[in-house]
Amino acid sequence: MIAKADGARAHERLKAETDAACSYDIFGSPAFVDGETFWGDDRLEEGLAWAAGRHELQTLNHDEKD
């Protein structure tokens, strides 16, 4: 297991994942991105609500359009 983690494939994957995170302006972990970034475990519920279209800010924006 440790040898695999230190192998070239693992290093390539880490670089690819880090590059992807940087493209989303993620600076910490955990982070959740779905058009909006939610950072930290304490924001998990907000991130899930956003992904489901049930976040209070999405509801407010929808109500204003009606």
Side-chain angles (χ1 to χ4, degrees), residues 29-52:
S29 176
F32 311 94
V33 179
D34 182 27
E36 190 69 32
T37 301
F38 297 88
W39 180 79
D41 187 51
D42 59 329
R43 297 291 181 245
L44 174 60
E45 295 301 320
E46 285 188 56
L48 293 173
W50 185 273

Side-chain angles (χ1 to χ4, degrees), residues 34 46 49-63:
D34 182 27
E46 285 188 56
W50 185 273
R54 296 182 285 109
H55 191 278
E56 67 181 51
L57 293 179
Q58 291 168 308
T59 304
L60 289 174
N61 289 336
H62 177 69
D63 291 344

